[in-house]
Amino acid sequence: MRFTSTDSYIATEDLRVAVDAAVLLERPLLVKGEPGTGKTELARQVAAALGMPLLEWGVKSTTRAQQGLYEYDAVSRLRDSQLGDARVDDVRNYIRRGMLWQAFAAEARVVLLIDEIDKADVEFPNDLLQELDQMTFHVYETGETVRARHRPVVIITSNNEKELPDAFLRRCFFHYIRFPDAETMKRIVAVHFPALKPALLAEALSQFYTLRDTPGLKKKPSTSEVLDWLKLLLAEDLSAEDLRRSGAEGLPKLYGALLKNEQDVHLFERLAFMHRSTAR
């Protein structure tokens, strides 16, 4: 099985190699990169390309590793026992399978996405070492050992908000999704907006990369944001010439799709003011 670009996702050569290597080595693929560079979408496209079901485990700051295995609802069991419910005789009625258990028990091989692992507590990755490495875990309430029927393709994403433990990194195949260069971005845009006029695309990407490369920018716009911006430009039926006529404040047309905080808006307003002062 080989991963390639799809009709809706452009994968660079190094990304395709990383996916294939992780599948071959049967190691989790740890994908890092800026928010909005397509890390989560990668897992969906890998599942589609390989013809496998996708299970998504979205990690939050309150997520515990145990939740990926199973959760035992002791409160419900206690309540049912007080009500005389016969279900309390079987503890399995109160065990809820997590995403890892579902992946292990699947009839066929699946893609398991562990999304934004760096949001969780620092110990979260270490708590999954055994399960991801050996593909097995123990259920203490029932005394059973769960083993993966088919080793899932595991894709783990991180926005690099915190460091991950070395022991965890050692068990992963790592890939960093670099921000697309202009040529790759043109291919990405062509997938989403095939009818976009070349002149408008050229001017839009020129302005986008100029904005993105501006020193002092707090939050650089991502791939998803430039796609949103282009969608708005098309909806407003703006031309390349319209884009060149930036407002007096020096901001791009419909800049709200690209700039997401007041500091960056003020930065461009100051730069425009300085440019006008120099030009006098």
Side-chain angles (χ1 to χ4, degrees), residues 53-65:
L54 173 66
L55 297 178
E56 298 189 38
W57 182 16
V59 177
K60 301 178 181 179
S61 59
T62 56
T63 302
R64 295 176 292 106

Side-chain angles (χ1 to χ4, degrees), residues 152-188:
V153 175
V154 181
I155 297 179
I156 304 171
T157 71
S158 169
N159 288 326
N160 221 12
E161 293 181 3
K162 64 179 65 160
E163 291 295 325
L164 299 175
D166 288 344
F168 178 79
L169 295 175
R170 184 172 60 81
R171 289 166 169 81
C172 298
F173 190 92
F174 173 76
H175 181 74
Y176 183 84
I177 297 183
R178 295 179 178 84
F179 193 81
D181 57 26
E183 287 305 313
T184 303
M185 186 65 79
K186 286 180 182 178
R187 294 170 57 203
I188 294 172

